């Protein structure tokens, strides 16, 4: 688990070097709730990106794009929030930076919201660790 969080911190720290490129992050879909087909197509798009690094952790597929300075976390079928995705990136904010988190779900909304908040503490710590 520590190496998982270290890899996230490393990627996001590298993102501060290119935070201008990440500053215009947009939601992938116009709403949080999406269809299963949209989730499947998005997952396939991300998996097809060149240079994607893949890890599996706690019923989640973690896909890291150093080129885009993004981490995509897709739930696996045994995860309570399946199917869902959270996208995380560092963006410039004034003289510093912050984690921008976006997400979509095609399953249970309450399970997604619970999973969404599991990222709160991690996202709050990262900017302080990359200064």
């Amino acid at each position: 688990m520590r190496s998982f969080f270290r890899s996230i911190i490393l990627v996001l720290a590298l993102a501060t070097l290119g935070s201008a490129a990440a500053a215009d992050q947009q939601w992938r879909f116009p709403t949080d709730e999406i269809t299963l087909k949209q989730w499947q197509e998005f997952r396939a798009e991300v998996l097809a990106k060149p240079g994607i690094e893949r890890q599996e952790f706690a019923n989640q597929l973690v896909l890291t794009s150093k080129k885009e300075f993004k981490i995509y976390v897709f739930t696996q079928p045994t995860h309570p929030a399946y199917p869902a995705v959270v996208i995380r990136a560092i963006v410039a904010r004034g003289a510093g930076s912050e984690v921008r988190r976006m997400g979509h779900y095609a399953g249970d909304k309450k399970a997604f919201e619970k999973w969404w908040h599991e990222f709160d503490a991690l996202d709050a710590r990262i900017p302080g660790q990359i200064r």
Side-chain angles (χ1 to χ4, degrees), residues 1-130:
M1 185 164 160
R2 283 187 162 219
S3 70
F4 169 73
F5 290 124
R6 270 190 264 237
S7 67
I8 288 174
I9 290 167
L10 174 63
V11 168
L12 294 175
L14 292 172
T16 59
L17 300 174
S19 60
D24 63 348
Q25 299 297 320
Q26 299 292 322
W27 288 87
R28 175 59 170 84
F29 300 100
T31 62
D32 292 345
E33 186 174 15
I34 59 175
T35 67
L36 175 60
K37 183 178 179 183
Q38 287 173 312
W39 181 88
Q40 290 169 330
E41 289 173 352
F42 184 44
R43 185 177 181 274
E45 287 171 19
V46 175
L47 282 166
K49 291 176 184 273
I52 283 290
E53 294 180 15
R54 178 183 180 139
Q55 293 180 330
E56 293 187 30
F57 175 78
N59 299 319
Q60 300 166 74
L61 175 61
V62 180
L63 303 172
T64 304
S65 173
K66 291 179 183 176
K67 181 179 179 183
E68 295 178 310
F69 307 110
K70 290 183 183 178
I71 297 172
Y72 301 86
V73 185
F74 288 88
T75 54
Q76 300 280 48
T78 56
H79 193 283
Y82 177 82
V85 59
V86 167
I87 306 112
R88 301 169 65 232
I90 292 284
V91 295
R93 181 160 179 96
S97 61
E98 68 181 15
V99 176
R100 168 109 14 114
R101 186 179 349 148
M102 299 159 272
H104 304 286
Y105 67 95
D108 181 82
K109 181 179 182 177
K110 287 183 181 181
F112 172 74
E113 289 172 349
K114 182 180 179 192
W115 180 56
W116 173 268
H117 289 293
E118 290 177 12
F119 293 92
D120 291 347
L122 179 62
D123 288 352
R125 283 194 322 243
I126 288 173
Q129 294 180 4
I130 58 175

